Amino acid sequence: MSEPPAPPRFSLRQLAYFVAIAEAGTLTEAAERLHISQPAVSLALNDLERALKVQLCVRRKAHGVTLTPSGTSLLVRARRLLREAEELEAEASGGGALTGVLSLGCYVTLAPTVLPPLLQGFASLHPEVTVDFAEDTQDVLQRRLLRGELDLAVLYDMDLMPEMERTVLFSVRPHILLPADHPMAGLTEVSLRALEAEPMVLLDAAPSSHHALSLFHRFGVTPRVRHRPTTFETARALIGRGMGYGVLVQRPANDRTYEGMHVVVKEIAEPVREEAVVLAWPRSMRLNRRAQEFVGHCRRNGPAPAS
């Protein structure tokens, strides 16, 4: 008969305190978030380092806490263990109402139209779940997914890492955005080649810029990029003022900018493919119950693209 495995020399509480320290950046801030004393947090960190026989943090009075390479590695696994422990507790108690925090990321241009219906629908089913969401570019969101900082993220199916699993929410075709008084505003569709000599407003938020430029490259057109805004609404504002045209994927229903300028959507004359909007998560990550329920909700009730 084999010997039972020895219990670990550290506790889940110590791991939770370590994660709080890593996320807060200082012991004092971590203590405030945990509603305990700073010495208690410091003691838990010392005990965890002693149990694991490795230094996890470098502590500097004026600069807070910096994770060592061992600490950075542990942070990912600690988050995973804490999620699994929470799931185990929920399953052992018979399930019941879904509670806790779901961490969701969303690509910046998709957030205004995709997040509200998803969050509202999920909240009606699971009112005791808090959904914390972060808006950022796809490269940043994917790194945060792999670090265990996010459970799920709404992204375009562009430049996704091979480590990502995904489920498609909807697809949408790229379009040209013109100021309302543009000479081609009355056309049904506009060719990319017809815009080659005009100034372009290029949304510079990965992967939008790469995607837009690749469309031109595919048809042998070289655009004249004049402005590179990093936000969707700034791009629309510049276009509305007649400072260039844009090639975008997201289609808000509102045809006005913040300043009240009108913009018009025109189909691209060239044969461009639709782009999928997906819900993504790391293949190596076991989804907790909240994330599983959110994925199921999205598959059943995914938002339609704005038009």
Side-chain angles (χ1 to χ4, degrees), residues 265-278:
V265 170
K266 295 299 165 185
E267 298 300 330
I268 299 174
E270 287 80 3
V272 297
R273 70 182 185 188
E274 291 191 341
E275 300 296 341
V277 174
V278 302

Side-chain angles (χ1 to χ4, degrees), residues 94-265:
L98 204 60
T99 61
V101 177
L102 175 70
S103 297
L104 179 67
C106 189
Y107 180 58
V108 285
T109 67
L110 292 170
T113 55
V114 174
L115 278 185
L118 284 180
L119 299 185
Q120 185 178 44
F122 189 70
S124 67
L125 295 173
H126 305 288
E128 296 184 39
V129 174
T130 300
V131 180
D132 284 345
F133 61 87
E135 303 169 54
D136 219 314
T137 57
Q138 297 211 167
D139 51 348
V140 172
L141 292 175
Q142 289 184 86
R143 289 197 297 271
R144 294 190 65 184
L145 283 170
L146 292 177
R147 290 198 300 261
E149 297 174 8
L150 299 173
D151 296 309
L152 304 162
V154 179
L155 308 169
Y156 280 115
D157 195 3
M158 305 174 189
D159 300 336
L160 287 190
M161 299 176 181
E163 297 92 337
M164 294 297 161
E165 185 61 80
R166 73 206 74 176
T167 187
V168 176
L169 300 180
F170 61 86
S171 295
V172 63
R173 193 172 188 267
H175 64 276
I176 293 169
L177 195 67
L178 297 174
D181 59 355
H182 192 278
M184 298 186 218
L187 301 178
T188 303
E189 59 182 23
V190 175
S191 170
L192 296 174
R193 188 169 299 281
L195 295 168
E196 186 171 21
E198 299 197 19
M200 180 185 184
V201 176
L202 179 66
L203 176 60
D204 199 6
S208 288
S209 54
H210 174 262
H211 172 258
L213 293 176
S214 69
L215 289 180
F216 286 93
H217 179 73
R218 189 183 310 164
F219 300 105
V221 180
T222 302
R224 292 178 57 230
V225 178
R226 177 70 58 81
H227 301 287
R228 290 178 174 265
T230 58
T231 67
F232 187 65
E233 285 302 330
T234 301
R236 282 165 50 87
L238 292 172
I239 295 168
R241 281 186 168 271
M243 299 173 69
Y245 69 93
V247 174
L248 303 168
V249 179
Q250 179 69 335
R251 302 190 182 203
N254 190 355
D255 65 352
R256 289 192 180 191
T257 69
Y258 281 153
E259 298 179 302
M261 305 289 185
H262 284 272
V263 291
V264 293
V265 170

Side-chain angles (χ1 to χ4, degrees), residues 50-70:
R50 189 178 302 111
L52 297 176
K53 299 179 181 179
V54 66
Q55 184 177 2
L56 301 173
C57 302
V58 177
R59 288 173 257 189
R60 300 185 179 92
K61 287 185 178 180
H63 302 284
V65 171
T66 302
L67 295 186
T68 64
S70 295

Side-chain angles (χ1 to χ4, degrees), residues 24-85:
T26 68
L27 296 177
T28 301
E29 176 64 22
E32 291 178 359
R33 293 185 184 186
L34 294 166
H35 304 292
I36 60 174
S37 68
Q38 189 270 338
V41 174
S42 180
L43 179 62
L45 177 59
N46 291 337
D47 289 345
L48 181 61
E49 290 181 322
R50 189 178 302 111
L52 297 176
K53 299 179 181 179
V54 66
Q55 184 177 2
L56 301 173
C57 302
V58 177
R59 288 173 257 189
R60 300 185 179 92
K61 287 185 178 180
H63 302 284
V65 171
T66 302
L67 295 186
T68 64
S70 295
T72 301
S73 176
L74 177 65
L75 181 60
V76 175
R77 301 186 70 179
R79 287 182 174 128
R80 188 177 304 166
L81 279 172
L82 291 170
R83 281 197 299 267
E84 291 178 353

